[in-house]
Every structure is written in C-alpha cells, then in structure tokens.
Amino acid sequence: QVQLVESGGGLVQPGGSLRLSCAAFGTIFNINAMGWYRQAPGKQRALVAGITSGGSTDYADSVKGRFTISRDNAKNTVYLQMNSLKPEDTAVYYCNVKAQVRYYSIPLDYWGQGTQVTVSS
C-alpha cells in the first residue's frame, strides 16, 4: 500500500504564497507520476499540476505562471509552490501519486488526505 502525507495548507491573503508538500510512504516499487488536484465546494476535483518521474510538467491554465510543481525523487516527495494566490484558488488540495507497489505491476492512483487552502482578505 501507499500512504500520502500532505502539509502546507493554510489561510493567506490575496497575493500571498504557500508551499504544499506531499510525501509518499509504503512498499513502493515505482512512482510514475505525482500531482496536485483541487476541489472547491460544488465543483469537480480538477488537475492543478502534474509531474512525471522524468520531470515533465503540466499545469492548469488558471495557475500557469503562478504555481510551480517540483519533486524530490529520493524522498518520494512532491511540492507545489503557489504564488500570487487569488480567492478563486480557495479549495481543498489533494496530492495524487500513480505508483506500482511490490508484486503488482499495474500503476494505481493513491490520494492524500487533502489540505485546505483559503485565500481571503
């Protein structure tokens, strides 16, 4: 199994910054990709940013130029640096990892517990 532990959420004013972290633990054979999703009340969970083990990245149009995703493969950790935050960024942010566990070759999705990000004045 894989367990994801998230941290870094909180309350910030518009224009402020936050850095989210997500570390993966468990009997991991290989991590194919890591990413961040968010879900606001009444809306679907949507991709914010993703990164492959090789470093390729993808961002939602709404966060391009403001958010940066990065990872530390040695620590099985992914980060999301969020700058110039806007009220519309308010949501629960979920870490996602696509990983293969030992003795099972098919990559599966694993989710963190979610961390609240609130942008308000």
Side-chain angles (χ1 to χ4, degrees):
Q1 275 276 21
V2 177
Q3 182 182 19
L4 307 181
V5 180
E6 301 181 28
S7 63
L11 173 65
V12 296
Q13 296 185 34
S17 297
L18 284 174
R19 188 191 189 215
L20 306 183
S21 298
C22 174
F25 302 91
T27 56
I28 301 169
F29 177 76
N30 181 256
I31 294 178
N32 296 334
M34 308 180 84
W36 293 93
Y37 291 71
R38 67 187 181 188
Q39 186 168 25
K43 295 186 177 181
Q44 296 184 108
R45 186 175 299 186
L47 175 71
V48 177
I51 187 168
T52 68
S53 59
S56 297
T57 59
D58 188 35
Y59 296 91
D61 288 340
S62 60
V63 307
K64 288 181 179 178
R66 300 187 297 119
F67 292 8
T68 302
I69 188 170
S70 61
R71 87 278 190 251
D72 186 334
N73 289 340
K75 296 181 178 180
N76 287 339
T77 300
V78 63
Y79 307 93
L80 186 67
Q81 179 66 47
M82 304 185 293
N83 298 325
S84 301
L85 283 161
K86 304 175 180 179
E88 49 263 46
D89 295 318
T90 296
V92 177
Y93 284 69
Y94 296 92
C95 178
N96 172 262
V97 171
K98 300 183 188 300
Q100 298 165 275
V101 298
R102 292 178 183 175
Y103 311 114
Y104 196 73
S105 62
I106 301 176
L108 299 176
D109 283 312
Y110 298 90
W111 294 91
Q113 79 280 7
T115 184
Q116 178 70 49
V117 172
T118 302
V119 185
S120 177
S121 59

